[in-house]
Amino acid sequence: MPEQLDDSSEDTYAGRRIRAAMHPFSVEFLAGCRKFSDLAEETDDGQEVMIYATSCIVNAACFLEAKLNEEIAVARICFDKGSDERKCWDELKESERSYSVPQKWSQIAALTGGCRWDSGVDPFQSFETISSLRNELIHFKGDLLGKDEAPSRKIAGLMRQLNIKSKATWIEDDCSSWITDLLSEKSIVRWVSEKVTSFDQQYYELMHGRS
């Protein structure tokens, strides 16, 4: 998304130099999430399902933060430098790295007339579960856990919701971990893809208070 230099009084962009550009990379994160979901549905290879599930989750979690950062970038160039509105967006830009996604959402929504982040309702609640799952994968600790035991309440609740349980007998050397139980199921990939797609479809209304 180019920002134009204000070096002409004519109402045309012809011949004007582009100073900077920004690509809305959230589009690729969303497309990646959907693509990996499709790939998981097409294979019967268990390891491939796990690979696609992991990639789907990571892309889904990255989508919203990218979307929010793009919102800030676009808003800043919509207001004149020195204006009160621009100052608010500049301050948010300067501190954006210190905010969690829910905090950043609420800060932006306060400027756009949108709704605050509500962890108790969808799509916010589901995104927090996706984010929790992404964090467990990215910062995998390798903890030894028991049968059908998950590393967090959010993930345990998701596994119950999707009826995902260990298929192992847990006798002698036949056991499994939450991560293989969860990521080897196509239902988790479908759930993630559907939830992040739904969030994208609701984004503008939630963030700007209108459809």
Side-chain angles (χ1 to χ4, degrees):
M1 180 169 295
E3 180 180 354
Q4 303 287 346
L5 280 174
D6 187 15
D7 57 3
S8 171
S9 60
E10 297 179 6
D11 293 330
T12 175
Y13 290 113
R16 297 176 70 181
R17 183 166 60 86
I18 295 174
R19 183 172 61 189
M22 182 272 289
H23 175 71
F25 200 58
S26 63
V27 173
E28 274 68 43
F29 283 129
L30 181 60
C33 177
R34 293 170 173 168
K35 179 63 176 180
F36 288 120
S37 177
D38 291 342
L39 290 171
E41 293 290 349
E42 295 169 0
T43 184
D44 293 322
D45 185 292
Q47 186 177 45
E48 287 187 353
V49 173
M50 289 189 67
I51 292 169
Y52 296 145
T54 301
S55 300
C56 179
I57 291 163
V58 172
N59 274 267
C62 291
F63 157 75
L64 186 56
E65 183 165 18
K67 187 87 168 177
L68 295 177
N69 290 341
E70 291 159 10
E71 182 94 30
I72 296 171
V74 171
R76 290 179 68 231
I77 64 174
C78 289
F79 297 102
D80 294 331
K81 290 183 178 180
S83 66
D84 291 340
E85 293 88 350
R86 177 63 178 265
K87 289 178 181 177
C88 290
W89 287 105
D90 285 347
E91 290 173 0
L92 185 52
K93 176 66 177 177
E94 291 173 3
S95 56
E96 66 179 356
R97 291 182 181 274
S98 64
Y99 292 127
S100 65
V101 168
Q103 291 171 335
K104 189 180 296 185
W105 174 283
S106 292
Q107 290 288 332
I108 295 173
L111 299 177
T112 61
C115 65
R116 291 183 60 83
W117 187 277
D118 186 346
S119 299
V121 299
D122 266 346
F124 307 111
Q125 186 177 57
S126 292
F127 184 81
E128 287 193 5
T129 300
I130 293 171
S131 183
S132 176
L133 184 52
R134 175 263 182 198
N135 290 340
E136 288 294 337
L137 298 179
I138 296 298
H139 306 291
F140 185 65
K141 300 178 180 65
D143 293 335
L144 297 173
L145 300 174
K147 183 178 182 180
D148 298 325
E149 186 178 357
S152 73
R153 286 187 297 176
K154 284 187 173 66
I155 296 174
L158 177 61
M159 294 179 72
R160 287 194 299 270
Q161 177 184 335
L162 299 178
N163 196 31
I164 295 175
K165 299 178 180 179
S166 173
K167 296 181 175 67
T169 62
W170 285 75
I171 298 174
E172 294 182 356
D173 60 350
D174 183 22
C175 60
S176 64
S177 74
W178 72 272
I179 200 164
T180 53
D181 296 337
L182 182 62
L183 298 185
S184 62
E185 293 289 341
K186 294 182 181 182
S187 59
I188 181 61
V189 194
R190 287 193 296 269
W191 183 86
V192 171
S193 180
E194 289 169 0
K195 290 300 182 179
V196 77
T197 297
S198 177
F199 204 147
D200 178 59
Q201 292 169 345
Q202 298 176 70
Y203 178 88
Y204 192 83
E205 182 176 1
L206 293 170
M207 180 55 78
H208 296 272
R210 57 189 183 276
S211 59

